[in-house]
Structure formats: structure tokens, C-alpha cells
Amino acid sequence: MNSMILRAGLAALLASTALPIWAQETAAPPAGDQAQIPSALPEAEDAEAAPPQQAPQIQPAQPTAEPEPQPDAAAPGEPAPDDLPAPEGAGQAEAPVPAPAERPAQAQAQVGSDWPFWGGNADATRYSPLSQITPENVDQLERAFVYRTGDMPMGDAEGKYAAETTPLKIGNQLVMCSAKNILISIDAATGEENWRYDPQVSNDAIPYSASCRGVSVYTAPDVPDGALCKSRVIEATIDARLIAVDLTTGDLCSDFGENGQIDLWQGIGEKVPGWYAVTAPPAIVRGVVITGAQVKDGQAEDAPSGVIRGYDAVTGEFVWAWDLGNPGEYGQPAEGETYTRGTPNMWTTAVADEELGYVYLPMGNSSVDYYGSNRSEHENQWATSLVALNALTGEPVWSFQTVRRDVWDYDLGSQPSLLDFEGTPAILLPSKQGDIYILDRTTGEPLVPVGEIEAPTKGSVEPDFLAKSQPISEWHTLRKDDLTERDMWGFTPIDQLWCRIQFRRASYEGFFTPPSADRPWIQYPGYNGGSDWGSVAVDTDRNILIANYNDVPNYNKLIPREKADEMGLRPINEKSPGESSGNNAEGAGDPQAGSPYAIDVNAGWRNTGTGVPCTRPPYGGIRAIDMTTGETIWDTPIGTARRNGPFGIPSYLPMKIGTPNNGGAVITASGLIFIGAATDNLFRAIDVETGETVWSDVLPAGAQANPIAYEVDGRDYVLIAATGHHFMETPIGDYIIAYRLPE
Amino acid sequence: MADATFHKSGWIRAGIPRTGGWRIATIVLAVVLGLFGIALLLGGIWLIALGGSWYYALAGAGLCITAWLLARQRRAALPFYVIVWLLTVVWAFWEVGTDWWAQVPRLVAPTVVLVLILLVLPALGRARNR
């Protein structure tokens, strides 16, 4: 579910301290820092005058807000879930876990001239201190180069490409992975290719999409300077390999794993290509490379494990495995055994905390997303939670569950960001439901108010399984009000009427309406968010959070097993290789083998025949949020109607409509937001203060990728990949496009 | 005018095909509006039964009556439809105000229908005089 839809038509907590207080460690404050404060001050003052809303914040640890994973509906008689293991004392691990002292924290590369991490800096704030390109001169931007990776879909990979490429910039080079994991280094100023390494991934390994969101670079302190693989590029592939190559030559690191590679299928079980794939860059904490994997959704309860594993970044040696179904055990399974199957996985990008030695894992749901009665208590405990692990041992430290007993595929899709929140080392967590949480990094305790809402159970096929209440963020949510009949849309009264009839026939009790089989149910927001893998960006100087989001429902129905069999819905392991289609929307006819129901998802709730969405625009927006108050500063649809129209015919209308979007933003210290993401194929710059689009360029393909900012020889660049996205229905391409101001 | 077409040979060639063409256009418009009207009426009744908006059934009935008036070449089709259109506009703004994207399905097609009826108005005029 790392993807998206349709083309049609998108206080005063610092009352006592006027200065932004959390720009400290997260990003080096640029020279222009002081200049920005005047513009931030009036807002803080206004907020001061406002009626105080900060009362709840003074007691962050409200009883209802505790990240207890047990839902109210815990079935009697079942074993109580294990208490969260403490960092110490679980000590049963037989794994060769080095003592933490052996892995001291290392200094982390800073964002600025370089873009050393997928999320910009180690804190993943996507905030660049560069300031040469400003709202005043941005209209002069010109293309510095267009590089083409050459990785385009061939044969049965057609309709399955969504590269989602974001390079890193280190020194004078950009390093990236293509859709099918070709590692490439190009010159950051000219786009000339330095080297490439092709791991020869076969088409049948493509899970749902051929995606490789990024790579990670690790510089080994103990390897002598100038030696091969002193600095290494590490990627995880869709055919489940962890690969390390030398940063300067692209040669495989022979000291890593077996000649530079580790087979992640070890301990997973029967190798079914496409079922177990990695699309996210690994996290690296104190020399431990940590990865999860995407387990193709909706196939079967007996699916590959969602195990999280750590390997030594230099030797590739196995360090630990966190198999949530097997608490207290951090080693590899014995010969012939596997990690616990069907457990929640982490397909998106984790964030590393070098200082605390933790890795924060945005966990997804169990393999069968829309039916939960067969899940284990362990699955119920950890699914759809942010989990902090001790990165040196794999032991869980704390967890925070955003959905209890998730039957909506509300995986945590966004990479969380690390920041200092009112003096506390914090982690900011966006969710697909749109709720944004800020937690204490050391304890997982919420630092902003977390509320409870009653969750409907009417219409459910498993009302006893469902949680009776769910957490929400009272600090900020991107979620809009529940749908009403008048939100139904179309191009004429006739298709609008048909949508209204569908609305009235569906089971809909608002947010968290449970899955039903007797009639369709409306899930709003749908599985694409809210916030998805593009994540959010935080301007740590202005204290502004920038979040782009989707505003799209899904129209779903559970299909009883008998009917699913008639329809020929079979899991991936019962199909011949390559047979599993990738171009249908995710969840559109997934078997969920082992459970009594298959699932049919109409992603984006598009009308029969016309393909026009049943709900009115906008389908996506971008919002600026005041980090001190949690209040919206501005909010505007993102994406124009230029490529949208009935029956897929582009309208070329330049008006903003607000399209579905996938891919995050970069903020520069000069006050610009750069973002593609929408389905209009535009790369645009938005003024962070006003939300106004101040520049845009038409790209040759969809820009469903996170952009970056960097500098070479005194000139600032912004770069985006126009590689397209099959599910977002944007043209596929292999373009890496960099922009700079003329000399 | 109508008389002239029958008495002056010069008008016969130019006038009869023109009149025939307009009449055909009027019939086609009546049939199309009738089909849309029936769809809206039946779907609208379904929607009312489901507890939804009454607009569609009423608008469907209005469209059916307009189509019938057009088929009978009655000039009253215009003022009648203008009332349907005005009520549609009032309803549309009551539902979604100035959310212009949300107005697209509510206002565009009904307004196109109004323009089409205005276009065939001359044909209706002749028919009535005859």
C-alpha cells in the first residue's frame, strides 16, 4: 500500500518562550536564521493572546493516552500479551550480540552541501540549510541536467513500475537505486555517470511495484582511509538481498556478507518471488544495518514473517532479529524453521537514533489486512505501532500503537522525524489516518494530547474482535470530516446520483467503519492516507511542519471464501511465477487465504464505467502547521487538473483541483518548499510562509518521489526523479532532473 | 415565414430542409432528455427509498415533462425548463455553496440542457404558429 490512485480530479505552547526552542541539534542553523525570527514572532504573540489551549499539554501522560497495545476488546481466555520487555532483563538472546559498549555512537553527516540520508539529515526532517534559491529568484531556475537511468519496464514488468527514486548526495556524487535496484552514481553537477552496479533483479521479483526508494551510505571508522569500501552504499532489493558496494567505484564490498551480498530469504521460508521484497533504504545505527521488508499484502495468513533484522554494516554478519511472534529470542531460526509467519511487517523507512542507539520502526499490519480474528496476541500487540528497538540487540524498548486491531490497512507508512520538542528529544509520527503524534524518544510517552474516540462495530463480520475505542491526535490531524451524501461527485447529475446511491447502500459509520461482507463499506481516509511514505518535512528554524496528504476514500467489500474461490482469487504462492498482476490497485481482489474472507478494494472509490471519483475534489492537499501550537497556518490543494478528465482524457485545465499525491517535500532555509508528488507531473516550489506556488516545471513523467537539495562548487541545486507511478497512473520514466539558478 | 415556405419556390428548397432539420434536432433532444429524465427519476426514487436526497427524482420528473413538451413541439418547454433550472441552481448552492468543483456535476449539465433548448426554440416557434 505504498501507493496511490486516480487521476481525476485534490495556541501557544511557547507562550513563555518567544524563541523557537527546537532548532538546536536537528539542523545547523543557517546564517539566515536570525532574519527569520521576526516573521515567526508575531504569530507566537498572536497565539499568546488566544485563549489558552495548552492545559492538556501540561500533563502529557494522560491515562487514556498510554501507548498500551491491548484493545478493550481483548477476548477473554486468550493469553495476555507480554508486557513490553524492558531494555534490560529480557536477556535470553542467544544471538551473538555485541555489548553496546563495542558500538559507540558516531558523528553523523550533516545536511547542507550534501544530502547524506534519505530524509536529508539523520533526523529525517527534510530541511535543507541552503538559501541561494529564494522565493524572489526561483522563477529563474533552469535545468542543470537530465540524467536517464535506463531502467524502464520490459516484458511483464509493464504496468508495475513505480521507482520512487530519491538519491543521496555525498561529496560530488549522487548515489541512487533504480526501480529494479541498479545502483548508480552520477556527477552531482553534470549528471555524468560515474559507475553502476546491476544486481540483475528478475521481473518476477516485483511484488506490487518495482520500487527502490533509496539507499544508505555508511562510512566505517575502523576501515583505513582510502581502502575499498571505507564508505559503502547499502541497498536492499526487491528480490530480498542486502547489497554493499564501494561508494567511489561501485565494486561489491567483498568483506560484506558473501561477496558483498546477504540473502534476506534466509529464515523466511519457501521462496516465492514477489512475496517478500524490500523497497525502502535500510536504517544504520552504530554500525548495524537494519531492514524490514514489504510482505505483499492480502495474500495469506501463512505469509513470510515481518521480522526485522540487523546486520553488521562492515562484515554483513547477522547481529539480531526481532521476530515479534517469538519474544525474547533474537537469534536466527534453526535449520528448517522460519521466523514467525504472517506477522506485521515494516515496508517503509525506519529512522535511526545514533545517540540513543535506537531504531524507530513504523510497523505495518499483519499480512491479512482486513480480517483479524485469527491473529495472535503478539500481532495484536505490535501491529500498526511505532516500535523503538535497541539497535544493538533487537530488544523492544517501547511502542506506540496508532490503530488497535487494525482491519483497514492503516499501516504506518511515513518515516518519522526526530526533533527537539520543547526541550525533549522527540519523535514526530504522521499516520495514514492523518493523525500526527509527537512522542518522547526515550519512553514513547506522548508529548502532545492523545484522545480516545469510540469506534463503530456495526456491520462488522467480527464485532468481538474489534477495539471499542481508538486513539486520535488532539494536537493535529490531516483528516477531514466524515463524508456525507452531498460530498458525492461526478461530471453529470447521473453519475453523481449513482455515487449517492452507492453511498446510501454502503455501510458507513464514519471514521473506522469496520469491514463488512453483506454490503460494501466506506473507508475514509483510505489506505493511502493521510500521510504515506513521502513523509513530512519540518522547518526547524521557522518551527513549521509541512505535510502533504491524500484525501481519498476507498469503497471496499469483504468477499466470502466460497465466492472468492469462484472468482479464482488465489494467493501468490499458488500462482505460476509472474502471473500475479501488479497493475491492479492494491487490494482489488486479494485472496486473504486462511481467513474466511477475501477483500475487494475500490481504491479512490471510482465510479463504475467513467472512472471518475465518487467524492468531490480535492483529493490531496499540502498544509503548514505551527509546531508550537499544532494549528494550521495554511492549507491548499496540491495538483492541477491539467492531466485529469473523464475517461482518462487530459483536460489541460491549469486550475488547482488537488490530486492524489505520493512523495514528500524538501524545505530550504530560504523559505521554499519543493515538491512533485501530485499526479499533474509538475515539480513546484511553494512559499513556506503563504502556501503560494511560486514556480513550477512540467516533467516528462510522474514525480512520485521525494526531491532533494544540495550544493556543488557554491551553486545550490534541487533535484527530483520523474520516474512515474503505475498506481498513481502517471507516465513511467527514468529521468533524474536537477535544477539550479543561471550563473 | 412558415406560409412563405409553401408559396415561394425559392423558400421551399432552403426552408423545408431547415425546418425538417430543426424538427429532427428537437425530437433528438426530446428523446435524449427523456432518457436522462427517466434515469434520474428511477434512480432518484431509489435514492429516496434509501433515505437520500429528493432532488434527483424531482429533477428527473422535470426533465421528463420538458422532454414531452419538446416532443410535442410546445414552446412551453422553455419556461418550464427554466423553472427546473432555477430550482436546480437554488438547490445546488444550498448544498455546496461556492465550492466550484463540487458544482460541476450540479450545474454544468443542466445549464448545457438550457442552452440546447434555447437553440431549438425557433423550431418550436414555427411549429406553434402552424
Side-chain angles (χ1 to χ4, degrees), chain A residues 7-64:
Chain A
R7 86 160 55 142
L10 209 265
L13 299 174
L14 285 190
S16 50
T17 65
L19 285 172
I21 54 167
W22 50 276
Q24 294 97 320
E25 306 158 69
T26 49
D33 189 25
Q34 296 302 320
Q36 299 303 338
I37 288 172
S39 61
L41 268 175
E43 277 170 14
E45 282 164 2
D46 287 348
E48 238 174 309
Q53 294 189 348
Q54 59 268 55
Q57 306 226 2
I58 295 164
Q59 300 153 310
Q62 307 215 2
T64 53

Side-chain angles (χ1 to χ4, degrees), chain B residues 42-61:
Chain B
L42 296 180
I45 290 169
W46 190 5
L47 184 60
I48 291 170
L50 292 167
S53 168
W54 284 53
Y55 166 77
Y56 296 86
L58 295 173

Side-chain angles (χ1 to χ4, degrees), chain B:
Chain B
M1 284 278 289
D3 288 344
T5 52
F6 292 98
H7 298 293
K8 294 178 183 172
S9 59
W11 285 92
I12 291 171
R13 275 192 198 150
I16 286 177
R18 186 168 178 269
T19 305
W22 280 103
R23 287 201 60 170
I24 290 166
T26 309
I27 302 287
V28 168
L29 182 61
V31 168
V32 170
L33 294 190
L35 290 174
F36 279 121
I38 288 166
L40 282 177
L41 179 62
L42 296 180
I45 290 169
W46 190 5
L47 184 60
I48 291 170
L50 292 167
S53 168
W54 284 53
Y55 166 77
Y56 296 86
L58 295 173
L63 213 49
C64 285
I65 293 167
T66 307
W68 181 76
L69 292 171
L70 279 175
R72 305 261 329 249
Q73 306 284 309
R74 296 277 297 274
R75 213 181 172 132
L78 178 69
F80 182 81
Y81 184 75
V82 166
I83 292 167
V84 172
W85 182 83
L86 282 172
L87 290 174
T88 295
V89 171
V90 170
W91 163 79
F93 278 86
W94 170 75
E95 267 212 324
V96 295
T98 54
D99 180 344
W100 298 111
W101 282 112
Q103 289 292 10
V104 167
R106 291 170 171 87
L107 295 183
V108 172
T111 306
V112 169
V113 169
L114 179 63
V115 169
L116 291 175
I117 293 174
L118 285 168
L119 280 175
V120 300
L121 195 61
L124 300 182
R126 269 191 300 278
R128 194 165 172 84
N129 291 344
R130 217 182 299 156

Side-chain angles (χ1 to χ4, degrees), chain A residues 485-494 496-498 500-501 504-505 616-617 641 653 655-657, chain B residues 36 39-40 43-44 46-47 50-53 56 91 94-96 99 101-102 104-106 109-110:
Chain A
E485 190 197 309
R486 66 179 60 184
D487 292 318
M488 297 303 107
W489 204 60
F491 274 97
T492 71
I494 303 224
Q496 187 189 34
L497 168 61
W498 179 231
R500 285 183 181 240
I501 291 170
R504 289 287 174 181
R505 293 186 76 198
R616 82 279 164 278
L653 291 171
M655 294 103 84
K656 261 192 204 177
I657 183 166
Chain B
F36 279 121
L40 282 177
W46 190 5
L47 184 60
L50 292 167
S53 168
Y56 296 86
W91 163 79
W94 170 75
E95 267 212 324
V96 295
D99 180 344
W101 282 112
V104 167
R106 291 170 171 87

